[in-house]
Amino acid sequence: MDRALLEEDIFDIELKLLLEGILLRYQHDFRDYSVASLRRRMQQAMERYGCATVSELQGRILHEPAMFAQMLQFFTVQVSEMFRDPAYFRALREKVVPILQTYPSIKIWVAGCSSGEEVWSLAIMLEEEGLLERAMIYATDINVEALAAAEAGIYAIERIAQFSENYKLSGGKRSLSDYYTAAYNGAIFDRRLRRHFVFADHSLATDSVFSEVHMVSCRNVMIYFNKDLQDRAVGLFHETLVNRGFLGLGMKENLLFSRHADSFRELSAAEKIYQRA
């Protein structure tokens, strides 16, 4: 048997054992995440922690809870920007906001909120559209460190130029600087916006629906799931959305092959915004 193929097979066996061990030890289920993505990330983790094999990495994770907390950065990709994909936010302003304005109160779920850039972006958009005072944004992730960063709303000052450009392209009506204070090489976003956030630990792999909402934004999360987990997530979104509620996905995601595809209609195809049928 080809030696490289054998080593790859062993790697995948060890990877499966690692995922089962994490589920049993920490009740986090990564078994339906994309295998190709998990391979890359575990190789990165092995290099980071000086482990020669996945089994060696597993031993440390199972015996060191602090190690598992650190490993979440490899299982959950924490890469985002404020007003990322500005056309998405422009489409929300033009096509979704007018319908949200008809509700006396609004609930929005940001699933897989990472370090919070999208949460703060949505709050700013709602503020400018006169909706924030009647809105509540639920921001969830499985990474408690990411949730803490999201709640803090402090971002490196060198990122603000890109954030500001995105904001302008998204249809922003003011200056992004109106919403933050610069201090100690960071931008601290307005605590007044924070009053409308609820942060919670929630897994799309194992947890259930927790509230009825008018919009779900889950962008660039499901690309790391296999098809079964994608279907589970979309099913949760359908279940949690009010009738004719909205679902926003990432630019590389869609519902074409989901078993729930018929439960949604395209509202803005290019920006991947759907409406519950």
Side-chain angles (χ1 to χ4, degrees), residues 246-263:
F246 302 96
L247 171 63
L249 301 180
M251 292 302 179
K252 295 181 180 179
E253 300 166 329
N254 61 67
L255 299 180
L256 286 177
F257 304 105
S258 171
R259 61 186 174 89
H260 300 285
D262 292 340
S263 300

Side-chain angles (χ1 to χ4, degrees), residues 14 17-19 21 53-63:
E14 290 184 315
L17 293 172
L18 169 62
L19 301 181
T53 65
V54 179
S55 293
E56 184 178 347
L57 185 67
Q58 174 181 305
R60 291 196 58 187
I61 291 171
L62 295 185
H63 291 283

Side-chain angles (χ1 to χ4, degrees), residues 24-38:
L24 292 171
R25 177 75 167 85
Y26 298 106
Q27 293 76 55
H28 280 281
D29 192 351
F30 298 106
R31 295 174 301 171
D32 286 327
Y33 278 48
S34 163
V35 173
S37 178
L38 284 172

Side-chain angles (χ1 to χ4, degrees), residues 131-181:
L131 290 174
L132 187 61
E133 285 306 311
R134 50 177 144 146
M136 187 61 67
I137 302 175
Y138 297 92
T140 66
D141 204 281
I142 63 170
N143 188 331
V144 293
E145 291 185 4
L147 285 171
E151 187 168 4
I154 303 173
Y155 300 103
I157 201 70
E158 59 266 24
R159 303 182 67 195
I160 297 301
Q162 183 62 61
F163 291 178
S164 296
E165 179 65 16
N166 290 349
Y167 167 75
K168 181 173 65 175
L169 293 173
S170 76
K173 297 180 177 180
R174 299 167 62 180
S175 168
L176 189 63
S177 62
D178 292 337
Y179 300 101
Y180 67 82
T181 302

Side-chain angles (χ1 to χ4, degrees), residues 118 229 231 261 268:
E118 180 144 347
L229 187 50
D231 282 342
S268 184

Side-chain angles (χ1 to χ4, degrees), residues 33-92:
Y33 278 48
S34 163
V35 173
S37 178
L38 284 172
R39 286 191 191 115
R40 289 194 303 272
R41 292 191 235 166
M42 291 308 99
Q43 287 168 344
Q44 292 168 359
M46 288 162 60
E47 292 174 7
R48 168 76 175 274
Y49 295 109
C51 296
T53 65
V54 179
S55 293
E56 184 178 347
L57 185 67
Q58 174 181 305
R60 291 196 58 187
I61 291 171
L62 295 185
H63 291 283
E64 302 173 32
M67 175 74 168
F68 174 68
Q70 295 174 30
M71 279 295 300
L72 282 174
Q73 67 181 298
F74 293 96
F75 287 107
T76 58
V77 179
Q78 307 298 320
V79 179
S80 189
E81 295 175 353
M82 290 194 73
F83 296 94
R84 182 179 181 178
D85 301 322
Y88 173 78
F89 287 91
R90 183 176 288 276
L92 290 181

Side-chain angles (χ1 to χ4, degrees), residues 88 92 96 109 111 118 213-219 222 230 233-238 240-242 244-250 253-255 258 260-261 263-268 271-277:
Y88 173 78
L92 290 181
V96 175
W109 177 17
E118 180 144 347
V213 302
H214 301 87
M215 176 181 163
V216 174
S217 195
C218 182
R219 305 174 64 227
M222 293 198 299
Q230 288 174 357
V234 176
L236 284 179
F237 301 152
H238 182 265
T240 197
L241 282 168
V242 300
R244 300 181 65 78
F246 302 96
L247 171 63
L249 301 180
E253 300 166 329
N254 61 67
L255 299 180
S258 171
H260 300 285
S263 300
F264 293 87
R265 71 175 186 90
E266 284 185 337
L267 183 70
S268 184
E271 285 74 39
K272 305 301 174 65
I273 300 174
Y274 302 85
Q275 188 171 29
R276 189 183 191 272

